[in-house]
Amino acid sequence: MGWFSKDIATMDDLFVHTLRDIYYAEHQIKKALPDMIEKATSPELKSGFETHLGETEGHIQRLKQVFKQHGVAEKGVTCPAIDGILKEADEIAGEVDDKQVLDAALIAAAQAVEHYEITRYGTLVAWAKQLGRDDSAALLQQNLDEENATDKKLTKLATGGINRKAA
């Protein structure tokens, strides 16, 4: 089903499609994070990625609850956006030999992922509220809050020394 598919006729259909999009994305991120953890050389960055891996598992569990609350099958739909972001991150990381530059590149890649997730969760929270699903909105808001916190932590790591060391 594409974004402008005939299968999306209502706001509810759009909500479910986007929910399935972020569900797929979270699973892809969960697969990608161990490689990012392995490549990171900064202990703080490595630890941050490990923490976010655990949070990602929590995001998936909350999404499962939203599917259940909504009475729809728990499944993902292919998300070319997250696939592209993760592919680009992997390619860039594979081209960097300097470990300090690699850490800066990993932060940039992780923030591209975070920003994608922030847009999706922000939209889903708004739509859940519009659909009268405050129960789902509350769960999605928890994921959004954690994504925003991770983005801020990554910015702090970058500006707090990693970018300077890479330069």
Side-chain angles (χ1 to χ4, degrees):
M1 173 171 31
W3 260 107
F4 298 104
S5 168
K6 289 184 272 184
D7 295 336
I8 299 175
T10 66
M11 178 62 94
D12 190 70
D13 295 339
L14 187 58
F15 176 82
V16 170
H17 176 79
T18 306
L19 185 64
R20 289 177 171 158
D21 174 283
I22 195 65
Y23 186 72
Y24 171 89
E26 290 286 13
H27 278 89
Q28 296 310 110
I29 293 161
K30 183 179 171 182
K31 289 179 194 173
L33 274 167
D35 188 47
M36 294 175 79
I37 292 166
E38 184 179 318
K39 289 178 180 174
T41 60
S42 160
E44 296 86 3
L45 182 56
K46 193 177 283 279
S47 174
F49 285 156
E50 288 168 347
T51 297
H52 197 61
L53 179 58
E55 289 175 349
T56 299
E57 291 168 358
H59 297 167
I60 291 168
Q61 292 309 310
R62 285 189 200 109
L63 290 171
K64 288 179 178 186
Q65 287 180 272
V66 174
F67 280 118
K68 188 173 184 176
Q69 289 172 344
H70 215 70
V72 295
E74 170 192 311
K75 66 178 185 176
V77 294
T78 302
C79 173
I82 202 66
D83 287 341
I85 291 168
L86 292 171
K87 181 180 180 198
E88 180 182 36
D90 188 53
E91 288 172 359
I92 289 171
E95 296 173 3
V96 178
D97 291 326
D98 183 307
K99 297 299 182 193
Q100 292 173 332
V101 174
L102 177 60
D103 282 346
L106 288 170
I107 289 173
Q111 286 192 292
V113 169
E114 292 308 309
H115 294 175
Y116 179 78
E117 290 177 293
I118 289 166
T119 63
R120 283 292 179 254
Y121 282 119
T123 296
L124 284 166
V125 168
W127 288 348
K129 288 177 182 176
Q130 189 63 46
L131 292 167
R133 299 305 311 248
D134 290 339
D135 53 349
S136 294
L139 290 168
L140 295 163
Q141 184 66 52
Q142 289 177 47
N143 285 8
L144 177 58
D145 291 345
E146 287 179 2
E147 301 297 2
N148 277 312
T150 297
D151 184 50
K152 285 181 175 78
K153 290 174 192 171
L154 289 166
T155 295
K156 187 175 179 180
L157 283 173
T159 60
I162 289 178
N163 288 349
R164 186 175 53 255
K165 289 177 186 175

